[in-house]
Amino acid sequence: MRARMKPYRAIFRQQLLTGLQYRAGYWGSTITHVVWVIVRVAIVGIFYRYGRGQAGVTLRQAVCMIWLQEMALNLMPGFGMDFTVWNKIARGDVGYDLVRPLDVYNHWYVSALSDKLARFLLAIVPVTAAALLARGDMGLHLAASPLSILAGLLTLATGLAVSCAVICLCYAAQMDVNVGDAPSRVMMIVSQILAGSLLPLQLWPDALQGFLRWQPFAAMMDLPLRFMAGSASLSELPPVLLSQLVWGVLIWRLGRAWIGRNLRRLIAQGG
Amino acid sequence: MGETFRQSAFGLYTRYIRILALAQLQYRGWILGLLPSLVYVITDPLDAILLFDRFGALGDWTASRIFLVYGLALMSFGLAELFARGIDYFPNLVRQGEFDRLLLRPRPLLMQAAAMRFHLNRLNRVIAGGLLALVCLRAQGAVPSAANIAMLVLAVLGGMLAYAGTLLIAAAVSFFTVGDSELINLFTNGSYQVAKAPPQLLPNWLRRAFTFLMPMFLFTYYPAAAVCGWDGSRLMGWLALPVCALSFGAATLLWRFGVRHYKSVGS
């Protein structure tokens, strides 16, 4: 078992370290994201202050979710993603990955994991600093207890496992020539939105909350962040983990089966 | 052959665009190719729609007011991306050393740069923004008089120039830096996010940045206010095109400065 895991561990380690090295445009992109959050926070704040309706979460909790999202979005499919595997599939270089004595699915899963994790780690320091510097209601106020923050971090980590399975599902769709690249791109956009990237899911219509709570993408970002913002209690922890487990296994198996089917039908051309 | 050689810059530009568009239509699945960008464009205003659904109108600011401003911005940006996609792509051209090819041709550089790329899927923003603006104008009960129509058309043209100018500034900067200038996204894709709230209620620095630095509210809010009779002077509504044309001119100067300082690495 240990020996079998070794190549994947090596790929993970090497790609994580590469990901943490200097990236072109790191600061430009960080500043962009921070200004982006400030705009989103300002807009949500205006609706809270001047609108007449009610929300189940306080402005502080909503603002907290939006700040945390700016880091957690790096864990989502398609957000600032490394398109290496994607491009390999599109251009046919995928042949190189197929001749390696490795399981292709595990290889791509581990690459996605290291890429997402590196981006997330790089975002933590500058975004947290900006969030703490922002004044008044616009700033980051972690209303939760240390235990809730831990629960948030734990479920964010387990949510990453689901997110990487979704990324591999997108690769599978991209490989399927009959489908073209439109479905996988659409899948990435939809999964981000349903993970709460446009607006924290608790601000969506009350009638939809039941659906939003249990669909697979909420468990990747929105549900974990609720713990940290204090808009969900610790008693929510078991259902979140259950949702992640069920969806994670389901999407993993689906992606594996789809990639397997694609490989059987794949014709490698040229040399 | 002799005739094509004498072609005007504009004639050549339309020829480039026509060829690039026809090439994309060759793919049987080209309609499917428009889908991801369509989903992206349609879902983008979802947060504002959901916020209006939950919180209701913000005083005078109903959803149709917000989305009129947003739609005008979206359409302007779509037009700039449709017709100046090459400028958006320009930094890659410099980075990969392909700019030299353009320099060798005895044709206007800016025209060549703008015509390097053309993507049909950029039509999504133009159509969605235009339809959204029309629906909202109806909801606002705007009078379709000649003056009003002219004001809106000129405003959208101004907006197109302002966005093209923004892309051109990013292109000019690429002569001097290697990195991705993701910052420019704040003034392109990011600008119409700002239009999701009433400008009067935004933080002052944000409203000023998008009125004076990148004049997004000048070519969206003021013409809309003049046409729908919200407030403010009608004169402000006419300012969009001249001001945006000036800013595009300034961006052109910056780009020319960049071209003069371009150092080819040869091949």
Side-chain angles (χ1 to χ4, degrees), chain B residues 38 42 67-68 70-72 74-75 123-139:
Chain B
L38 184 67
I42 289 180
F67 288 116
L68 175 54
Y70 175 88
L72 288 173
L74 191 67
M75 188 181 179
L123 270 171
N124 286 324
R125 280 206 179 93
V126 180
I127 296 169
L131 284 178
L132 189 60
L134 278 181
V135 170
C136 294
L137 278 169
R138 267 189 74 107

Side-chain angles (χ1 to χ4, degrees), chain A residues 85-94 174 181:
Chain A
V85 175
W86 178 283
N87 290 334
K88 272 187 201 164
I89 295 170
R91 294 188 192 139
D93 300 350
V94 70
Q174 163 84 345
D181 85 342

Side-chain angles (χ1 to χ4, degrees), chain B residues 6 8 11 18 46 48 73 85 108 111 118 123 138 140 150 156 170 189 210 229 237 245 252:
Chain B
R6 279 197 304 274
S8 69
R18 206 175 77 91
L46 196 64
R85 187 73 175 141
M111 179 280 292
F118 181 80
L123 270 171
R138 267 189 74 107
Q140 285 285 319
V156 170
N189 295 288
F210 284 98
T252 315

Side-chain angles (χ1 to χ4, degrees), chain B residues 61-188:
Chain B
W61 282 84
T62 53
S64 64
R65 261 200 192 194
I66 288 284
F67 288 116
L68 175 54
V69 174
Y70 175 88
L72 288 173
L74 191 67
M75 188 181 179
S76 309
F77 179 51
L79 283 170
E81 273 209 309
L82 190 67
F83 293 115
R85 187 73 175 141
I87 298 177
D88 197 12
Y89 178 78
F90 191 79
N92 297 311
L93 215 64
V94 172
R95 228 169 284 150
Q96 289 162 12
E98 291 174 40
F99 181 53
D100 299 28
R101 291 209 324 244
L102 269 58
L103 286 170
L104 285 172
R105 300 177 192 145
R107 285 292 174 273
L109 272 176
L110 192 55
M111 179 280 292
Q112 289 189 61
M116 281 297 282
R117 284 281 185 288
F118 181 80
H119 286 131
L120 278 172
N121 62 12
R122 301 294 132 170
L123 270 171
N124 286 324
R125 280 206 179 93
V126 180
I127 296 169
L131 284 178
L132 189 60
L134 278 181
V135 170
C136 294
L137 278 169
R138 267 189 74 107
Q140 285 285 319
V143 187
S145 69
N148 280 349
I149 294 172
M151 185 183 283
L152 288 177
V153 170
L154 293 181
V156 170
L157 282 179
M160 181 176 103
L161 282 179
Y163 279 119
T166 310
L167 297 176
L168 200 53
I169 290 171
V173 170
S174 75
F175 285 114
F176 305 101
T177 63
V178 193
D180 265 337
S181 48
E182 207 185 320
L183 271 176
I184 211 74
N185 285 346
L186 288 175
F187 298 101
T188 55

Side-chain angles (χ1 to χ4, degrees), chain A residues 112-228:
Chain A
L113 203 63
S114 54
D115 171 49
K116 294 276 103 183
L117 198 60
R119 277 169 207 273
F120 176 70
L121 293 176
L122 278 175
I124 289 181
V125 173
V127 176
T128 312
L132 294 175
L133 283 175
R135 280 170 302 168
D137 280 347
M138 300 285 134
L140 176 71
H141 298 278
L142 287 173
S145 65
L147 263 183
S148 305
I149 294 174
L150 266 179
L153 286 174
L154 169 74
T155 46
L156 215 49
T158 42
L160 177 59
V162 182
S163 171
C164 291
V166 174
I167 293 174
C168 287
L169 192 65
C170 293
Y171 290 156
Q174 163 84 345
M175 270 179 101
D176 197 326
V177 185
N178 291 324
V179 187
D181 85 342
S184 44
R185 282 186 188 275
V186 171
M187 195 147 58
M188 284 181 185
I189 299 171
V190 172
S191 64
Q192 279 181 26
I193 293 172
L194 287 178
S197 68
L198 276 178
L199 195 67
L201 296 181
Q202 281 162 312
L203 289 177
W204 289 46
D206 294 330
L208 292 178
Q209 290 304 323
F211 160 73
L212 291 171
R213 169 83 183 64
W214 289 105
Q215 45 91 16
F217 309 112
M220 303 188 321
M221 183 167 78
D222 198 79
L223 298 179
L225 296 189
R226 286 181 195 183
F227 292 118
M228 296 201 217

Side-chain angles (χ1 to χ4, degrees), chain B residues 230-247:
Chain B
W230 298 336
D231 52 7
S233 72
R234 245 186 118 69
L235 181 69
M236 287 294 282
W238 292 110
L239 273 180
L241 187 59
V243 171
C244 295
L246 274 178
S247 77

Side-chain angles (χ1 to χ4, degrees), chain A residues 22 24-25 28-33 35-36 38-40 42-44 46-48 50-56 178-183 185-186 189-190 193 198-199 202-206 208-209, chain B residues 32-33 35-37 39-40 43-48 50-59 66 178-180 182-186 189-191 193-198 201-203 205-206 210:
Chain A
Y22 171 79
S29 116
T30 303
I31 295 170
T32 310
H33 288 170
V35 177
W36 204 268
I38 293 173
V39 171
R40 287 181 63 202
I43 292 172
V44 171
I46 286 171
F47 276 91
Y48 264 92
Y50 299 94
R52 256 171 273 135
Q54 293 293 317
N178 291 324
V179 187
D181 85 342
R185 282 186 188 275
V186 171
I189 299 171
V190 172
I193 293 172
L198 276 178
L199 195 67
Q202 281 162 312
L203 289 177
W204 289 46
D206 294 330
L208 292 178
Q209 290 304 323
Chain B
L32 199 64
L35 192 68
S37 131
V39 173
Y40 182 81
T43 53
D44 184 77
L46 196 64
D47 54 344
L50 292 171
L51 285 169
F52 269 112
D53 176 59
R54 182 169 283 283
F55 292 101
L58 306 166
I66 288 284
V178 193
D180 265 337
E182 207 185 320
L183 271 176
I184 211 74
N185 285 346
L186 288 175
N189 295 288
S191 66
Q193 307 300 324
V194 178
K196 286 175 180 170
L201 301 182
L202 284 173
W205 63 270
L206 203 56
F210 284 98

